[in-house]
């Protein structure tokens, strides 16, 4: 291993230490400071697409997951301005797709929903778009519901980087960007199984393994007991 | 398709892929060639291309569905792409569109039954000085009228080719009449300045450069205080220096000729009239940063210049100004290739441009790392605008101090402006940096201008009270665009046009831009439909600021500028349009009921 230089930086006045080369988000995690994130997954290269992790770093807005931390950097993570930006982005995701939380089997285990709760979002400020989205239910064991997809790309990156088979990809441009299986037959035509990292990567209810829904009752799901990010904050010693 | 047909097709596609050495990085080139040969890239062809290049089909489909000029469904043998820029609209686009529809017997978005025509709209094709303009079968037709549009369709139906039609209408000025261009486009180059259009000798800058050390070349560029002409205004010498110092076995020079900012058409004229100077700049930059390969990224809309540019390159090779031991300097080998784009404004963003040149979707990359450290194929890459590189060549030829003696303060040299809209002499002007908007308006014959748009949709909208502001980096920056609006124009029409542009051109990677551009577009539509309120104006401002603050790249960061700068400088125009209610819905209940009644054949009962 390279000898790595230690640096000091500040998040909302908390003094933190980091290793040169880490992203702001990774460094914050290690110091027990939670920066909300959706498209980031620790074992994948960052995507920088959701912008939920936006912080103000030395006065400039930056995505914490893609910006390297620097010595003496001053980071705002909890200011009202930053919180409002994040709420706006999360609300955009809610109105862009069709998120029927009350009947979604991922409810309680969904990162989008959990961040919305944590940021205390009651209703989106934007009008709903009610798009028409496709459902790929061709595969016997797995389906992709475009209604709930947030285009975070975690599945695409996991397929490439962990599963080492780029069976999922993005098509379209702008508001028409979608996730697609690399086959004319849909998911059925690709080599995918419920244990693949690309299936597990989905933070919302867009990639679902069939016959597993509602196994855990409400009250026992991932974010029922404590808000998202608590496990990171638990790392803070003082 | 029969089995035999499929086999033949597969063979043909394989052959096409072969012309690009079956390289994955040349995916755009392969797909473009397939599109040109078959009028589309079908699902079947997607699979064949994927197989030939050894990649997943979704990668091919991802590319085909990203770029405007690639299509999964058949376009006509003569696809018509009508320019929807704001100035095109002002100059009569809708009558031209109607005429095209009538003559071709189809609507926009459709392909004719006989497969001859398809009609589509497209973002600015760089012809704002001769609108309305369209690409028909890849060939630009300018200053269109309804009669012209009808005539074109009729002639093509009866067997004429676009080239024959252009010949009949007459070639444009300057090199547009060159036998390798043969285009009806006009340069409208109305003011030649000393720097870009001054007298010069081919190769002079290169010979001077190779007699210096690369560091001396960079110092000279720094002395000139030249800054990037592509919009951001980064000091050019410093950029070259960063790139030179980034260690790697290879370095690359890119010339950014994507010129997608609506209202900008300076690159078009430079590439037509002074391509040698542009290539000279690339070569000097190559020497300075220690590169052997330059790539000119040419937007699809300017592909009519390709053959001509290739010929210029060939002549430069023959003259020893490209190739092995350039200008006799041992060890300095440098050549240039042209990378065609396929239609996407975002590909002008430097990291998207690099992705596109690697055969990928034109999505920007995260920075850092900056391209000067890790760009094309992971190597240090210099991306400069066409005008920047041309100016740099002149800096080396005539000296940095000479260059810095033009312009004002931190904005040295001259700037090419492409001025269009309500003025007597639309066209390209080389003017000193730092001149006021008012002076520019006088030069183009637009004394009665009511509003001026500087920098294109991502720039600033100003009114009379700001006409004494200066065109330079410290005040009004522009990549060249300046659009003039007379007193009778409705500014909100232009804001609407720009809002639609950003929604169409967002790459879709990041949330605030992908969703936000659609929200802003809907808002301005709501206001123009007479359903706007004060709340809508406030929301437009606050949403616009959030989109700018959270977006990943310059597109999203400036996508709300049309609304934000007009709300700041032309608030009255909005106030006249809104109602004083607290809240009005964009949904028209009565209309919806009427529609429902019509569909069901019932009558509504009003109580
Ligand atoms: C959406 C977008 C579009 C752009 N389009 C262009 C373009 O068409 N031409 C250009 O030179 N720069 C364009 N740029 C700026 C480039 O990213 C880059 O800054 C420029 O090419 C650098 O060259 P310069 O330093 O010589 O100006 C664009 C930037 C953005 C964000
Ligand atoms: S700001 Fe827009 S164009 Fe830029 S990365 Fe985000 S979605 Fe793409
Ligand atoms: S987590 Fe950083 S952009 Fe999505």
């Amino acid at each position: 291993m390279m000898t790595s230089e230690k640096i000091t930086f500040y998040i909302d006045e908390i003094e933190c230490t980091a290793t040169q080369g880490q992203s702001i988000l990774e460094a914050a995690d290690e110091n027990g400071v939670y920066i909300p994130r959706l498209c980031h997954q620790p074992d994948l290269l960052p995507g920088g697409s959701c912008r939920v992790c936006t912080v103000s770093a030395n006065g400039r807005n930056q995505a914490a997951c893609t910006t390297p931390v620097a010595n003496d950097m001053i980071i705002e993570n909890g200011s009202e301005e930053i919180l409002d930006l994040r709420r706006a982005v999360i609300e955009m995701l809610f109105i862009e797709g069709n998120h029927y939380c009350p009947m979604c089997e991922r409810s309680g285990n969904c990162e989008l929903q959990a961040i919305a709760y944590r940021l205390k979002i009651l209703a989106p400020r934007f009008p709903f778009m009610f798009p028409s989205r496709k459902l790929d239910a061709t595969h016997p064991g797995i389906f992709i519901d475009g209604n709930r997809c947030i285009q975070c790309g975690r599945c695409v990156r996991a397929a490439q980087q962990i599963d080492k088979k780029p069976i999922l990809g993005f098509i379209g441009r702008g508001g028409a960007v979608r996730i697609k299986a690399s086959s004319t037959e849909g998911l059925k035509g690709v080599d995918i199984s419920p244990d693949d990292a690309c299936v597990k990567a989905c933070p919302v209810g867009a990639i679902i393994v069939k016959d597993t829904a509602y196994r855990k009752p409400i009250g026992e799901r991932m974010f029922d007991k404590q808000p998202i990010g608590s496990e990171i904050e638990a790392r803070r010693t003082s | 398709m029969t089995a035999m047909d499929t086999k033949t097709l597969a063979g043909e596609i394989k052959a096409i892929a072969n012309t690009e050495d079956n390289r994955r990085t040349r995916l755009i080139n392969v797909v473009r060639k397939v599109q040109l040969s078959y009028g589309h890239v079908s699902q079947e062809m997607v699979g064949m291309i994927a197989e030939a290049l050894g990649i997943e089909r979704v990668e091919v489909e991802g590319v085909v569905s990203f770029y405007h000029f690639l299509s999964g469904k058949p376009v006509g043998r003569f696809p018509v792409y009508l320019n929807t820029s704001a100035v095109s609209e002002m100059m009569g686009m809708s009558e031209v569109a109607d005429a095209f529809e009538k003559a071709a017997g189809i609507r926009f978005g459709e392909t004719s039954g006989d497969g001859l025509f398809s009609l589509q709209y497209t973002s600015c094709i760089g012809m704002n000085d001769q609108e309305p303009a369209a690409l028909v079968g890849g060939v630009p037709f300018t200053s269109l009228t309804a009669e012209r549009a009808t005539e074109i369709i009729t002639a093509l139906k009866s067997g004429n080719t676009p080239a024959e039609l252009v010949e009949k209408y007459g070639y444009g000025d300057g090199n547009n009449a060159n036998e390798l261009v043969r285009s009806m486009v006009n340069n409208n180059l109305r003011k030649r300045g000393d720097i870009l259009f001054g007298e010069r000798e081919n190769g002079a800058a290169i010979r001077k450069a190779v007699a210096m050390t690369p560091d001396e070349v960079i110092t000279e560029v720094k002395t000139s205080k030249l800054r990037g002409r592509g919009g951001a205004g980064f000091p050019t010498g410093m950029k070259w220096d960063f790139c030179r110092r980034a260690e790697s076995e290879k370095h690359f020079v890119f010339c950014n000729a994507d010129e997608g900012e609506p209202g900008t058409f300076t690159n078009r004229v430079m590439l037509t009239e002074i391509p040698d100077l542009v290539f000279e700049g690339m070569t000097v930059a190559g020497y300075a940063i220690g590169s052997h390969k330059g790539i000119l990224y040419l937007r699809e809309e300017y592909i009519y210049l390709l053959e001509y540019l290739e010929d210029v390159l060939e002549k430069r090779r023959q003259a020893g100004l490209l190739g092995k031991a350039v200008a006799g300097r041992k060890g300095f080998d440098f050549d240039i290739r042209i990378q065609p784009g396929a239609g996407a404004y975002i590909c002008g963003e430097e990291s998207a441009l690099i992705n596109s040149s690697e055969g990928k979707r034109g999505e920007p990359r995260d920075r850092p790392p900056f391209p000067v450290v890790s760009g094309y194929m992971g190597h240090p890459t210099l991306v400069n605008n066409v005008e920047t590189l041309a100016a740099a060549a002149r800096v080396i030829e005539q000296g940095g101090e000479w260059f810095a003696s033009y312009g004002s303060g931190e904005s040295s040299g001259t700037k090419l402006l492409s001025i269009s809209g309500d003025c007597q002499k639309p066209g390209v002007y080389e003017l000193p940096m730092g001149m006021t908007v008012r002076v520019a308006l006088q030069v183009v014959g637009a004394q009665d201008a009511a509003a001026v748009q500087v920098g294109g949709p991502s720039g600033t909208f100003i009114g009379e009270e700001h006409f004494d502001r200066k065109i330079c980096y410290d005040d009004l920056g522009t990549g060249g665009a300046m659009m003039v609006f007379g007193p009778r124009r409705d500014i909100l029409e232009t804001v609407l046009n720009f809002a639609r542009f950003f929604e169409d051109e967002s790459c879709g990677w990041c949330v605030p831009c992908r969703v936000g551009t659609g929200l802003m577009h809907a808002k301005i539509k709501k206001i123009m439909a007479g359903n706007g309120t004060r709340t809508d104006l406030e929301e437009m401002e606050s949403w616009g600021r959030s989109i700018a603050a959270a977006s990943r790249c310059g597109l999203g960061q400036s996508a709300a500028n049309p609304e934000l700068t007009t709300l700041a400088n032309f608030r009255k125009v909005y106030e006249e349009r809104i109602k004083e209610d607290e809240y009005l819905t964009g949904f028209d209940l009565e209309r919806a009921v009427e529609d429902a009644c019509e569909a069901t054949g019932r009558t509504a009962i009003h109580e």
Side-chain angles (χ1 to χ4, degrees), chain B residues 338-406:
Chain B
I338 300 176
Q339 172 64 52
Y345 166 62
I346 187 59
C347 285
E349 195 283 337
E350 56 186 9
S351 60
L353 179 125
I354 291 170
N355 269 341
S356 180
S357 305
E358 290 180 4
K360 298 181 189 145
R361 290 160 61 80
E363 288 148 346
R365 297 177 177 176
D366 291 301
R367 288 166 304 166
F370 288 90
V372 285
V373 174
S374 172
Y376 185 61
M377 311 300 255
H379 297 292
T381 301
L382 174 74
V383 183
N384 271 139
N385 175 262
V386 173
E387 191 178 335
T388 313
L389 289 162
R394 293 288 282 165
V395 165
I396 296 309
E397 194 190 313
Q398 301 286 334
E401 290 193 6
W402 169 81
F403 186 89
S405 71
Y406 291 84

Side-chain angles (χ1 to χ4, degrees), chain B residues 215-234:
Chain B
D215 278 324
E216 284 166 355
V217 170
I218 291 175
T219 305
E220 203 62 41
V221 177
K222 284 184 178 166
T223 306
S224 74
K225 295 202 247 169
L226 171 63
R227 291 167 67 175
R229 301 306 199 222
F234 195 84

